[in-house]
Amino acid sequence: APTTRMSLVTGTIDVATITPPVTGHHELVLIFTDASPGDLVTTGNILVGTTTVTQNAPLLLEYLPQTAKYYVK
């Protein structure tokens, strides 16, 4: 679970649910550090997933409290 706006993500498993670090609208920057990172999948609170997660590249997500979902920017 991220605790700041920018968080490093380790490992190779898919990410389906992100625990919001704050209430209300916010943005997160996730940086996947593994050479073969997992995907963002839509079985949790991520509205549109992506399989183009790249090692050490920032991935920006925006949280909309009205839908309780993260949107990949």
Side-chain angles (χ1 to χ4, degrees):
T3 57
T4 61
R5 182 173 184 264
M6 184 176 286
S7 296
L8 299 178
V9 180
T10 60
T12 60
I13 59 173
D14 293 341
V15 175
T17 302
I18 301 169
T19 304
V22 297
T23 58
H25 173 265
H26 60 274
E27 292 181 341
L28 290 179
V29 178
L30 301 181
I31 300 174
F32 292 79
T33 60
D34 195 276
S36 298
D39 300 327
L40 293 181
V41 296
T42 59
T43 56
N45 65 349
I46 300 169
L47 185 64
V48 177
T50 182
T51 58
T52 56
V53 176
T54 304
Q55 181 183 21
N56 296 323
L59 182 65
L60 185 60
L61 298 132
E62 187 140 355
Y63 183 76
L64 185 61
Q66 293 89 337
T67 60
K69 298 278 185 181
Y70 279 96
Y71 296 79
V72 178
K73 290 181 90 176

